Every structure is written in structure tokens, then in C-alpha cells.
Amino acid sequence: MPKTSIKAKAKSTKTGATKIDKKETSVRLNSYLENEISRLADMHGVSTFVFEQFTHFVIENYKKKEQTVKSPKVKPLTLAQIKTAIYQNFSVKNTTELKKSGAFKMATDGMDTLNLSVKDGWEKLYRKFIGIIPGEENQQGYGCINGINIFNYFKPWQVFDLNPQAATTEDIKSAYHRLSKIYHPDVHETGDAAIFERLNIMYKSISAKA
């Protein structure tokens, strides 16, 4: 390495060390802290330097606000976007064709009456046939288990926290019993008949496929 580079590096290091020294000595510890540092250092067999460094760190940072990471806002799907996704799913061009579609009639047979004059009706179709609506992932609150609202989505594997490719019958039973201990109506504090009924339906569904 050229001599000039070595000198420059040495100068830089020296300058950096000076800055650190100045920073570390900018706050003088009072006798109370120094005595406590000595006491703790003797007690734990640690150099006083370690406690001094930690003390300076606390003094310099205890008032700093923690940086919070804001979750990016999720732009909700428009009604037009939802409709387009449904049309594509059933290979139709518009609502008129959708209602006439044999595949659509068969797929929605047994569903509650759909009101396709409002967005809510289309959202129900999206949840059932397309997937999770953006913004409804990792939901919390009543009816939400493992991030999914069980009254809006039929996703038993996620609710039971199981891998559909690897879960055994015993795994499914174990997951069901674990949730039953929480949501069975006989459980005084956390029992809920509506949630338990939904869990039973999911359990029967994936048990039949296991």
C-alpha cells in the first residue's frame, strides 16, 4: 500500500478515535454511577469499561423515540376490479353472462342469496373464488384465527395452522382439539358457539380429505 494511503488511513483512524473519545467524555459520570459501576463490575467479574460504555449508551439514547415502521396502506380493490376478477374466473364478459353461466350457477349453488347490486355481494364472490381481498390478510379481532376471519373465508388449513401437503389425520385432530379447548361453548371465558360451529365444519371438511 502506498505510504500516502497508510498515512491518510492512520490520520483518519486517529481522527475517528479522537471523535469517539470526545463523544465518550462529553458526559461525565457522577460518583454515584462510578461507584455503582465498580460494584457491579466486581460482582460480575466484568471490566468497568463494559458498564461505562453501557451507561453512556443509555444516557445518550434513553430519550430517543423508537422508530416505528408503518405498514403500507393497502389500496382497496374497486368494484370494477372485483367484477373483472370474477368475470375472468368464470370466463364471461359481463354480469349478464355471469348470471347465465352454468359454471357460476353450479359454483354458487348452496351459497346464501347474493346481492350483486352492492359491492358486498361481489366481495363475497371474490373471497370464495379468487382469494383474500387485499387488506384482509392477517386480520385480528372477533372470528379471526391465525390471521383469517373464519366467517368471511373458508380456509381451514390456515385456521388450523397446518400444511395441507404434509398434515396427517392425527395432526388435524390435534389442531382441532387445540382450538376446541379455546372456542368450545362450554369454555367459560373464551367459548363461542358460532366460532365452534364454523370450526366443526372446517374440521369435517379437511378430515374427509386427509
Side-chain angles (χ1 to χ4, degrees):
M1 181 182 293
K3 290 183 178 180
T4 52
S5 300
I6 295 174
K7 287 182 178 179
K9 184 177 180 180
K11 184 178 181 181
S12 173
T13 304
K14 186 177 180 181
T15 304
T18 302
K19 288 181 178 178
I20 293 172
D21 290 343
K22 285 184 178 179
K23 186 178 180 181
E24 290 178 350
T25 56
S26 61
V27 179
R28 288 290 182 185
L29 302 181
N30 60 30
S31 59
Y32 176 80
L33 287 175
E34 289 179 345
N35 291 337
E36 185 64 9
I37 286 172
S38 297
R39 188 184 70 80
L40 292 173
D42 290 340
M43 179 187 296
H44 298 286
V46 179
S47 169
T48 56
F49 178 76
V50 175
F51 285 105
E52 288 172 354
Q53 293 295 303
F54 180 70
T55 304
H56 283 293
F57 174 82
V58 171
I59 291 172
E60 292 171 8
N61 295 283
Y62 83 104
K63 282 189 176 180
K64 290 182 179 177
K65 293 182 179 179
E66 291 187 12
Q67 292 184 345
T68 56
V69 179
K70 293 183 179 179
S71 301
K73 288 186 177 180
V74 178
K75 192 175 182 179
L77 294 178
T78 65
L79 178 57
Q81 290 174 320
I82 293 175
K83 284 185 176 181
T84 299
I86 300 298
Y87 295 158
Q88 290 175 346
N89 185 73
F90 289 98
S91 301
V92 297
K93 295 179 180 178
N94 51 49
T95 304
T96 301
E97 287 189 10
L98 181 69
K99 291 180 178 178
K100 292 180 180 178
S101 167
F104 177 72
K105 290 178 181 177
M106 185 179 297
T108 56
D109 184 37
M111 287 183 66
D112 295 335
T113 303
L114 290 168
N115 183 358
L116 297 184
S117 64
V118 295
K119 188 177 182 180
D120 181 68
W122 289 94
E123 287 180 336
K124 288 179 180 176
L125 291 176
Y126 190 99
R127 293 186 184 106
K128 184 172 180 61
F129 300 112
I130 308 300
I132 298 176
I133 295 176
E136 293 188 346
E137 306 92 347
N138 303 316
Q139 287 186 306
Q140 296 182 348
Y142 176 74
C144 296
I145 300 176
N146 289 327
I148 200 74
N149 187 322
I150 64 172
F151 296 111
N152 286 337
Y153 292 94
F154 192 80
K155 293 189 174 298
W157 295 110
Q158 181 175 340
V159 171
F160 281 61
D161 194 23
L162 294 173
N163 180 349
Q165 306 301 325
T168 64
T169 302
E170 290 304 315
D171 293 334
I172 297 171
K173 286 182 179 178
S174 177
Y176 172 72
H177 289 150
R178 185 177 66 253
L179 291 174
S180 296
K181 290 180 181 178
I182 301 173
Y183 297 105
H184 193 284
D186 290 343
V187 179
H188 179 64
E189 294 184 350
T190 58
D192 187 292
I195 293 177
F196 187 66
E197 180 183 3
R198 190 72 173 167
L199 289 174
N200 270 324
I201 295 173
M202 291 184 175
Y203 173 62
K204 291 177 181 176
S205 172
I206 59 177
S207 294
K209 297 176 182 176

